Amino acid sequence: VLKKLREEVCRANRELSARGLAPLTWGNASGIDRSRGIVAIKPSGLEYSRLRPADIVLLRLDGSVAEGRLKPSCDAPAHVALYRAFPEIGGVAHAHSIHATAFAQAGRPIPCLGTTHADSFHGEVPVTRQLSAEEAAGDFVARTGAVIVERFAGLQPMEIPAVLVAGHGPFTWGTDAAAAVENMLVLETVARMALETLRLAPAIGELPAHLAERHHARKHGPGASYGQKP
Ligand SMILES: [Zn+2]
């Protein structure tokens, strides 16, 4: 069942590794079939090069396994929390890519310093709060999903398809698993550019609003002019 979704999610996970975003096995991508309420995710600890569509684990939205002989990624509870809270998303990725993780560890949002950032993320990429001792002692991964949802109160997930979990690393999402992984690559690139910019000019302010808005609108929204007409 769900052959196409399994193939997409398998490909997205291999891409996450091939792009250097997930050192060792520190990353995972998932996708959802909304009509069936089934999430397809990477199995825990498996090497990306050995990953086949048949290995992909299918989960229900409550996190229980619907199909699969392997244990799902240990980050699965955070993925399903995001699918439940953000009905417009179709794919989720998590990784420990160096530069985005550096911002997460510093507990600092990624400021919008240029048009590369503005094209993909509407405003700064936010950072969550730290989990409390009680939260960390309980279902730590599900609580990680909950603090992301808490941080997005009043924000539009598809306007800023990324977040930094404080002291941990980034999560991204998109219309499907491939889009979530692409947003992870954009996030890592933008984080690296921001870090280099802040090294050269620590006091530089954010990109002026008129430029940030202009660039975001060029790729998103009703007047989008980027790319080719379908
Ligand atoms: Zn992690």
Side-chain angles (χ1 to χ4, degrees):
V1 259
L2 296 172
K3 184 163 172 282
K4 192 162 160 282
L5 183 66
R6 283 174 191 272
E7 285 169 359
E8 281 171 15
V9 168
C10 182
R11 204 178 313 122
N13 275 284
R14 293 181 75 134
E15 182 74 5
L16 197 62
S17 171
R19 295 285 192 170
L21 297 168
L24 302 172
T25 56
W26 304 331
N28 38 72
S30 68
I32 188 169
D33 181 320
R34 287 281 178 191
S35 65
R36 291 182 172 87
I38 292 289
V39 174
I41 194 164
K42 181 184 180 285
S44 181
L46 218 70
E47 253 182 70
Y48 300 92
S49 59
R50 290 177 45 213
L51 195 64
R52 289 165 306 127
D55 300 325
I56 299 300
V57 184
L58 301 182
L59 303 175
R60 299 179 192 91
L61 272 171
D62 64 5
S64 62
V65 175
E67 200 184 299
R69 38 189 186 79
L70 297 168
K71 197 156 69 83
S73 160
C74 52
D75 293 312
H79 287 242
V80 292
L82 296 180
Y83 288 118
R84 286 199 303 261
F86 305 151
E88 60 272 57
I89 70 173
V92 172
H94 170 55
H96 289 209
S97 57
I98 308 290
H99 298 87
T101 301
F103 274 92
Q105 292 185 166
R108 298 243 318 244
I110 305 174
C112 179
L113 300 178
T115 63
T116 325
H117 180 124
D119 279 342
S120 294
F121 306 114
H122 198 192
E124 68 177 22
V125 175
V127 59
T128 68
R129 64 174 174 82
Q130 294 274 10
L131 293 183
S132 69
E134 295 76 46
E135 287 169 334
D139 188 347
F140 164 76
V141 181
R143 294 306 308 171
T144 296
V147 294
I148 295 173
V149 174
E150 178 189 302
R151 184 63 189 79
F152 267 75
L155 296 178
Q156 295 294 332
M158 290 307 269
E159 292 271 288
I160 311 171
V163 72
L164 306 171
V165 176
H168 182 170
F171 279 79
T172 56
W173 45 82
T175 49
D176 57 18
V181 170
E182 187 181 328
N183 283 333
M184 187 64 80
L185 182 59
V186 175
L187 180 72
E188 174 59 13
T189 307
V190 158
R192 185 172 184 182
M193 288 176 178
L195 211 54
E196 295 291 345
T197 305
L198 292 170
R199 238 149 54 102
L200 282 169
I204 197 82
E206 288 207 287
L207 186 69
H210 65 274
L211 282 177
E213 292 304 321
R214 179 79 186 83
H215 272 265
H216 194 263
R218 199 167 62 108
K219 286 205 181 176
H220 306 270
S225 61
Y226 182 82
Q228 305 300 321
K229 289 251 182 303

